Amino acid sequence: MRSAMRYSHILLTEALSEGGVAVDATMGNGNDTLFLSQLLEDQGQVFAFDIQEQALQNTREKLTENQAPENTTLYHLGHEKMEEVLPEDIQIQAAIFNLGYLPKSDKKIITLPETTLKAFEFILNHLAVGGRLVCVLYYGHEGGEEEKNAVLSYAAKLPQQQYQVLTYQFINQIHCPPICLCIEKIKEEH
Ligand SMILES: C[S@@+](CC[C@H](N)C(=O)[O-])C[C@H]1O[C@@H](n2cnc3c(N)ncnc32)[C@H](O)[C@@H]1O
C-alpha cells in the first residue's frame, strides 16, 4: 500500500489533464511543486505558495536541478491570500496542501487552522468539476491536533451532492501517521 504522500500524488495525477492548472499551497522543499510541474509539462501551470523565503529558495533549486518545465510561478505569500494574486476566473484542476512545518527548519512556523481553511474556501470555489483538493495532514507537532480536527470537521460537513470526501490513513501505526484527505468536486453549486 502507498504512503499518504505517495497516495496524494496518485489522487492529483488522476485529476490533472494536459493544459491544466494546479496549486501547491505549501511549497516547503518543493517536492510537490516539482511533481506537478513535471506532470503538467509546458502546456500547464503551477502556482505555489509559502510564507518562508527558505522554502522558495529550496523550491527554485529543486526545479532548476531537475530541469523542470517553465510552468511554475512561486509566491512568497500566505495561501490565505492567494485570491490577491490568482486570476478571479481561474479554474483549478488540482491543489495540494501538506500541513505542518517545513522539515529541518523552525518547528514553530506551522500551518494554522484559520488560514488553511480560508485557502480551502478559495480552492473549492475555483475547483473545476472533477477537480480535487488533496491535503496531507501531519499533526504530531504542537498545534497539529487542533488543525487536524478543524480541517476534518470542515471537510466532513461539505454537502455530498457537491463533493466526495475521503480520508486515507494507516490506523495501526504509532506516532500520528499522516492522513491523506481528498475533496473532489462532483457538481457546481447552483
Ligand atoms: C509540511 S511543509 C510542506 C512540505 C512541502 N510540500 C514539500 O514538498 O517539501 C509545510 C509548509 O507550509 C508552509 N506554510 C505555513 N503557513 C503557511 C501559509 N499560511 N501559507 C503558505 N505556506 C505556509 C511552511 O512554511 C512549510 O514550508
Side-chain angles (χ1 to χ4, degrees), residues 13 27 34 43 56 73 75 107-108 114 140 154 184 190:
T13 305
M27 198 184 315
L34 175 64
Q43 307 306 313
L56 276 91
T73 312
Y75 293 103
K107 291 190 180 170
K108 295 255 171 322
E114 198 183 323
Y154 171 90
E184 181 179 272
H190 289 297

Side-chain angles (χ1 to χ4, degrees), residues 51-186:
I51 51 171
Q52 297 192 69
E53 181 53 41
Q54 190 61 50
L56 276 91
Q57 268 183 38
N58 296 353
T59 301
R60 257 185 232 115
E61 277 168 26
K62 186 151 285 168
L63 293 172
T64 308
E65 273 166 23
N66 289 280
Q67 299 175 333
E70 301 218 343
N71 57 4
T72 55
T73 312
L74 310 186
Y75 293 103
H76 185 193
L77 188 71
H79 44 224
E80 67 280 9
K81 295 185 185 155
M82 61 175 83
E83 64 180 321
E84 292 175 15
V85 292
L86 297 184
E88 219 175 296
D89 59 351
I90 191 168
Q91 280 279 296
I92 298 165
Q93 283 189 341
I96 178 76
F97 291 71
N98 267 227
L99 303 183
Y101 58 87
L102 181 62
K104 296 187 204 140
S105 102
D106 187 347
K107 291 190 180 170
K108 295 255 171 322
I109 306 178
I110 55 171
T111 51
L112 298 167
E114 198 183 323
T115 40
T116 298
L117 291 180
K118 183 148 191 239
F120 267 41
E121 285 279 330
F122 180 88
I123 298 287
L124 293 184
N125 286 335
H126 293 83
L127 207 55
V129 171
R132 290 176 178 169
L133 183 165
V134 181
C135 178
V136 182
L137 291 119
Y138 299 93
Y139 52 92
H141 56 284
E142 210 183 317
E145 187 75 20
E146 189 196 346
E147 183 176 41
K148 172 185 73 119
N149 292 340
V151 167
L152 293 181
S153 150
Y154 171 90
K157 290 190 197 110
L158 290 168
Q160 68 172 25
Q161 299 78 3
Q162 208 189 345
Y163 298 102
Q164 293 192 108
V165 183
L166 74 75
T167 55
Y168 174 95
Q169 182 188 34
F170 294 99
I171 59 170
N172 66 333
Q173 290 179 356
I174 55 164
H175 299 318
C176 306
I179 301 168
C180 176
L181 167 77
C182 180
I183 304 173
E184 181 179 272
K185 189 181 270 191
I186 50 175

